[in-house]
């Protein structure tokens, strides 16, 4: 997928900033970067995060954002675990990064012993794609609040999303983490996966009782009176005004008592619902990390400008 098709298909905003000058890095004291930067693709070259990385690569080549090239490389296996483990253990010099899907990256250590990384220790680089996550139900559902969502899960309600690494699944594990509501491994038997584009229609039909969706997907269905949102997968501080306009009565992680849970840690790493982002190994020198962040933000801004000028968005 080329960068314009990626941005068009995402239907969401790209978060950017103003690039700064190339900084002087620690760990050697020389100018940074002085060699090519490698971005690993834990989900393969055909994934959406890889498309975002190729967008950055193209912009860097066209506009010399960095004085070096950006290379990309597949590092797949274990549903992203191999790439994340490799990045986590790489030299923290700023030359090895990875692209990521937020909920999936953060969930892996909760459900697999093969994931030996701590997702809270990665060095943050930049955000690439933003959306807001929610639990949606049919408009005539008895589920009205976040507490109703918890009770429905406890009572064996079927829930759905595009994959079992969705935000709703992360929320499930967070609920189990706080107060031991239930065993997430058992409740996963209640999970039903639908292909992209079919999750919302399944929720409207009532094929499942709870559905994890992105706000960009659910917005039109709410306006049409087909779906409603009892719970946002965000803390109140990170919930945007737009989300409140769409679902003014919906609960947040705070109002259901999850502000101190794994859920808030996860959401805090992806403010405003970031789903695609770039990370490096723990403890990258701060000046180097900031140089990377500035450059990536400039690339993302430039790509968004180009698609707007072309009338794609």
């Amino acid at each position: 997928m080329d960068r314009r098709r990626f941005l068009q298909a995402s239907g969401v905003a790209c978060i950017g900033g103003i690039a700064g000058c190339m900084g002087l890095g620690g760990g050697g004291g020389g100018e940074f970067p002085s060699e090519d930067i490698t971005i690993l693709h834990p989900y393969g070259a055909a994934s959406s995060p890889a498309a975002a990385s190729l967008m950055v690569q193209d912009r860097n080549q066209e506009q010399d954002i960095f004085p070096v090239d950006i290379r990309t490389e597949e590092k797949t296996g274990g549903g992203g675990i191999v790439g994340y483990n490799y990045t986590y253990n790489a030299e923290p010099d700023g030359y090895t990064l990875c692209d990521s899907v937020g909920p999936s990256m953060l969930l892996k250590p909760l459900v697999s012993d093969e994931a030996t990384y701590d997702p809270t220790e990665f060095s943050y680089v930049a955000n690439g794609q933003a959306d807001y996550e929610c639990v949606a139900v049919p408009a005539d559902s008895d589920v009205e609040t976040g507490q109703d969502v918890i009770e429905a899960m406890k009572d064996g309600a079927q829930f759905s999303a595009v994959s079992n690494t969705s935000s709703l699944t992360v929320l499930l594990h967070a609920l189990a983490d706080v107060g031991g509501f239930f065993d997430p491994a058992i409740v996963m038997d209640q999970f039903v996966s639908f292909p992209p584009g079919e999750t919302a229609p399944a929720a409207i039909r009532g094929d499942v009782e709870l559905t994890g969706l992105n706000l960009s997907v659910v917005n039109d269905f709410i306006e049409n009176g087909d779906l409603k949102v009892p719970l946002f997968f965000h803390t109140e501080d990170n919930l945007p005004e737009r989300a409140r306009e769409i679902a003014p009565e919906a609960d947040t992680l705070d109002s259901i008592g999850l502000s101190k849970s794994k859920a808030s840690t996860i959401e805090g790493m992806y403010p405003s619902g970031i789903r695609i982002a770039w990370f490096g190994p723990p403890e990258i020198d701060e000046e180097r990390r900031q140089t990377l962040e500035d450059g990536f933000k400039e690339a993302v801004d430039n790509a968004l400008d180009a698609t707007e000028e072309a009338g794609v968005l």
Side-chain angles (χ1 to χ4, degrees):
M1 182 182 293
D2 64 37
R3 59 180 178 275
R4 291 184 180 179
R5 287 179 58 206
F6 164 73
L7 289 166
Q8 183 182 28
S10 69
V12 294
C14 283
I15 307 300
I18 299 174
C21 298
M22 296 298 103
L24 295 179
E31 183 176 345
F32 176 82
S34 60
E35 59 186 72
D36 290 351
I37 298 167
T38 298
I39 304 176
L40 303 177
H41 303 319
Y43 297 100
S47 64
S48 294
S53 293
L54 292 174
M55 176 187 71
V56 173
Q57 183 184 48
D58 287 349
R59 285 298 167 188
N60 182 63
Q61 184 174 5
E62 293 166 3
Q63 301 188 10
D64 294 325
I65 294 171
F66 293 108
V68 298
D69 289 335
I70 292 178
R71 301 189 303 109
T72 63
E73 178 183 330
E74 289 193 16
K75 185 68 70 172
T76 60
I81 290 175
V82 171
Y84 293 140
N85 282 345
Y86 185 92
T87 303
Y88 184 78
N89 292 298
E91 186 71 25
D93 53 15
Y95 292 107
T96 301
L97 310 174
C98 73
D99 47 45
S100 70
V101 178
S104 178
M105 182 190 84
L106 294 156
L107 176 64
K108 299 297 185 183
L110 299 179
V111 298
S112 173
D113 293 337
E114 298 299 317
T116 56
Y117 60 88
D118 182 341
T120 66
E121 293 182 354
F122 280 108
S123 297
Y124 163 83
V125 174
N127 303 327
Q129 176 189 353
D131 205 343
Y132 307 96
E133 313 253 19
C134 63
V135 175
V137 297
D140 59 356
S141 171
D142 293 334
V143 176
E144 301 280 352
T145 67
Q147 190 60 42
D148 290 341
V149 171
I150 294 174
E151 295 303 322
M153 285 183 169
K154 290 166 65 176
D155 290 342
Q158 278 199 317
F159 62 97
S160 65
V162 173
S163 74
N164 64 359
T165 56
S166 70
S167 62
L168 186 58
T169 317
V170 177
L171 175 60
L172 172 65
H173 284 265
L175 292 171
D177 175 56
V178 179
F181 288 119
F182 37 65
D183 182 347
I186 295 175
V187 181
M188 282 304 296
D189 291 337
Q190 300 163 211
F191 180 81
V192 181
S193 179
F194 289 94
E198 296 183 22
T199 306
I204 294 170
R205 293 193 302 267
D207 292 350
V208 289
E209 296 171 76
L210 306 170
T211 305
L213 289 171
N214 302 335
L215 189 58
S216 62
V217 173
V218 80
N219 185 20
D220 290 342
F221 296 111
I222 294 174
E223 292 182 350
N224 293 336
D226 297 318
L227 293 174
K228 62 183 178 183
V229 173
L231 178 65
F232 280 112
F233 185 71
H234 301 280
T235 53
E236 191 67 41
D237 287 346
N238 281 334
L239 195 65
E241 183 177 343
R242 169 172 166 255
R244 270 290 170 234
E245 291 173 353
I246 293 173
E249 303 300 323
D251 279 325
T252 63
L253 295 180
D254 306 89
S255 57
I256 61 171
L258 294 184
S259 60
K260 303 299 183 183
S261 71
K262 283 187 174 69
S264 62
T265 301
I266 290 167
E267 193 264 351
M269 289 183 66
Y270 288 81
S272 301
I274 298 303
R275 295 178 56 78
I276 291 178
W278 293 277
F279 289 87
E283 299 184 357
I284 291 178
D285 174 83
E286 177 55 26
E287 290 188 45
R288 292 191 176 202
R289 191 210 62 77
Q290 188 63 57
T291 296
L292 291 168
E293 180 178 356
D294 290 343
F296 272 69
K297 284 183 174 180
E298 180 177 352
V300 172
D301 268 353
N302 290 339
L304 180 58
D305 290 343
T307 55
E308 288 176 337
E309 291 169 6
V312 174
L313 294 179

